[in-house]
Amino acid sequence: MSLGACAWLGYSRSEVNKLRIFDIDPRLTPEHWQGMWDTTRPPDSLTVRTVHRRKNGSESPVEVRAVRVYLDGEDLAVSYSVDLTHSEQTRAKLVATQAELERLLDHLPDLVFRMRARPTPEFSFVSPSSLALLGYTPEELIGTEQSIHKIVHAEDLSEFLSLDRTQAGVGRRIRFRHRRGHLVWMELRATPLAPTPTGSVVIEGVARDITETHEREQLQEQLHQSQKMEAVGQLAGGIAHDFNNLLQVIIGHTQVVRSMNQELRIDNLLGGVIGAAERASTLIKQLLAFSRKGTAEFSELELGQIVSSLHQMLERLMGEHIRLSWDCKVQPLYVIGNAAQLEQLVLNLCINARDALPRGGNVSLILDELTAAEMPAAVRGQLPEASSTYARLTISDDGEGMSPEVQSRMYEPFFTTKGPGKGTGLGLSTAYAVVRAHAGVIDSSSSPGQGSMFRVFLPRVTPTPAPCSLPHKLPRISGEGRLALAAEDEPDVLRLTAAYLTQAGFEVLTAENGAEAERLLVEHARELSVAVLDVVMPKRGGLSIYASLRERHIMTPIVFVTGYDDESLGATLGHKGVAIVRKPFDADELLAKVALVVAELETAHVPDQKSRT
């Protein structure tokens, strides 16, 4: 016996030499030992797990590996023993840990599963909670592909089976079907494991019952929709009031023009029609700014310059009884925004201040900057996005002020404390919408008799150097010998659009719906120089028609016409030969866009000069 083994057993070598194997192995008897060798077949070796008893009486588990040899006529066994004490302790801990995990799974309300996704999807493990959640025991769900089809809603099955291609830990809402037939909404988070050498992909996941949460969210959404419809009703009432007044002016002036003597001058009357239409257009722009459905284009703007350019107009709006002061403490101060909307913001806040000063007073505009750390905590918590510095525009007055009740409703559309005919109630709601659309915050403070202060915070940006370029003047297009298509479902607008194109010399085809427009575009693809398409039409919208044309490789230049919303056209507008014109538009605006798209495609198809020589 080796010295190491002697030391492990606690015997000296001389003591060991006097011992037999049966003396250190209490489980082994001579008969047992002989029986093991008698049943052993070549190569006459055996491995057995037993225990060795040390000199001090303690025992340790061992694995004995022995080989039978014949030496000088003697029948001998050469063996060695491996101490299994540590491994047995580890194994016991693992068994205990597994038992504890199984007990935890037994009480866990969530569904824990392991699933093979490929080649054949099936569960290899399902926690006992499946019975309470879905009405099936784990044994009923494990090992068959049919069980997945049985418990997962048919419309969500493809998403469930694609879990091996999902990002680990990403939550998905999947509908499961209970044994009794009702739906159980689960929020499922799964982790795909690395494929096995055979190509099998295993997914481990946890699914939590969120049926009550989902139903509560649906109820909240229904309530939200109800509130939105209530607001729409309020909006419709306000629009009807203001538009009826504007339409009365337009219709009245037009009727007078039609009935009057041709020899009289009608410039003033037509001016009234145009003025009323322009006011209607302004009201629409405010509504669109309020609803964020407008067609605003954002760019880098110097805010101080925008306010300064309005100063003279503001002085006229204020009147002689109000003193207006303007102090720009930081210049230049750039923000990302839309100039028209920012001008509308300043005008609305100043008009609100003016109306609070019926007997005169002071209105102050101050522009400065501050860091995010310097901003009031209440304002900083509302910011949609982080920025290191902000522009702050403060507009204050020493007028009548507002009560807490008025302040709680002042941003509601069409809410106003002014008398009939003195305001639409869109001023502050539009200002609020513009600020939010510019990733900013509007803050106010006021009290009766103490005036009001509005502060607008907008993220400041560092301007990008603009490339030098020569001004480009777009030539007016001549339609002589050209064919154009006008598609619009509103007959009066269609006639007007066709008239604009006819005045420019085009021969014009017209269509009153999308299906008819697409048919004409396909039939006259070779002759058409341009198509003017309304974005929203019956049977087929302009964008859908455009996509169909490009799939057929029909490259007719397109001018889209929209009443308010061109957000869905965002990517399309970057294409060559595509432009947009917004209602209301005049002949010059339409024909300029027609010239632009026609020129873009004609330039794109001009062969290279070198290739023609």
Side-chain angles (χ1 to χ4, degrees), residues 519-590:
R519 179 182 63 79
L520 292 173
L521 276 161
V522 174
E523 288 181 4
H524 300 277
R526 293 184 178 275
E527 307 100 79
L528 277 170
S529 295
V530 68
V532 180
L533 305 178
D534 192 21
V535 172
V536 179
M537 289 184 289
K539 300 184 180 179
R540 202 80 188 267
L543 188 61
S544 178
I545 295 172
Y546 172 78
S548 176
L549 293 178
R550 292 307 186 252
E551 286 178 1
R552 302 182 188 201
H553 304 289
I554 298 175
M555 304 303 293
T556 304
I558 303 291
V559 175
F560 288 114
V561 177
T562 180
Y564 68 94
D565 182 7
D566 64 1
E567 293 177 357
S568 60
L569 301 173
T572 306
L573 295 180
H575 296 177
K576 290 288 186 183
V578 178
I580 186 168
V581 63
R582 302 179 183 95
K583 299 174 183 176
F585 57 87
D586 57 23
D588 289 339
E589 186 178 358
L590 174 64

Side-chain angles (χ1 to χ4, degrees), residues 277-288:
E278 288 177 344
R279 294 203 308 277
S281 177
T282 299
L283 182 58
I284 286 293
K285 288 177 181 177
Q286 289 207 44
L287 287 170
L288 296 179

Side-chain angles (χ1 to χ4, degrees), residues 208-340:
R208 172 164 294 181
D209 185 357
I210 59 165
T211 304
E212 291 184 3
T213 301
H214 179 77
E215 291 174 351
R216 185 166 57 251
E217 289 175 351
Q218 283 188 318
L219 290 174
Q220 289 175 345
E221 178 63 21
Q222 291 172 4
L223 176 61
H224 181 59
Q225 290 295 332
S226 175
Q227 292 171 338
K228 284 172 63 177
M229 292 304 298
E230 196 171 311
V232 167
Q234 186 181 15
L235 183 69
I239 291 176
H241 171 76
D242 289 283
F243 264 90
N244 281 334
N245 289 336
L246 296 172
L247 289 173
Q248 179 62 51
V249 175
I250 295 172
I251 293 171
H253 280 79
T254 304
Q255 288 175 337
V256 171
V257 171
R258 292 180 64 186
S259 62
M260 67 181 298
N261 193 313
Q262 291 289 334
E263 296 179 359
L264 297 177
R265 291 181 60 81
I266 60 175
D267 289 356
N268 291 336
L269 293 173
L270 291 179
V273 174
I274 294 172
E278 288 177 344
R279 294 203 308 277
S281 177
T282 299
L283 182 58
I284 286 293
K285 288 177 181 177
Q286 289 207 44
L287 287 170
L288 296 179
F290 160 70
S291 63
R292 299 193 196 181
K293 293 287 186 182
T295 54
E297 297 176 358
F298 283 57
S299 60
E300 294 174 357
L301 300 171
E302 209 286 291
L303 189 56
Q305 185 177 11
I306 288 177
V307 180
S308 295
S309 66
L310 293 173
H311 190 261
Q312 188 174 359
M313 178 192 300
L314 291 173
E315 285 185 327
R316 291 198 303 270
L317 285 173
M318 293 297 105
E320 296 180 356
H321 63 300
I322 296 176
R323 291 177 295 278
L324 177 70
S325 63
W326 159 233
D327 184 8
C328 184
K329 297 183 179 298
V330 179
Q331 202 171 17
L333 203 160
Y334 284 87
V335 298
I336 297 293
N338 174 264

Side-chain angles (χ1 to χ4, degrees), residues 169-188:
V170 175
R172 292 188 178 189
R173 290 195 173 186
I174 302 287
R175 287 169 291 179
F176 287 74
R177 192 173 294 281
H178 194 276
R179 187 173 218 145
R180 296 177 182 174
H182 61 270
L183 290 180
V184 180
W185 282 88
M186 297 268 203
E187 185 176 63
L188 192 149

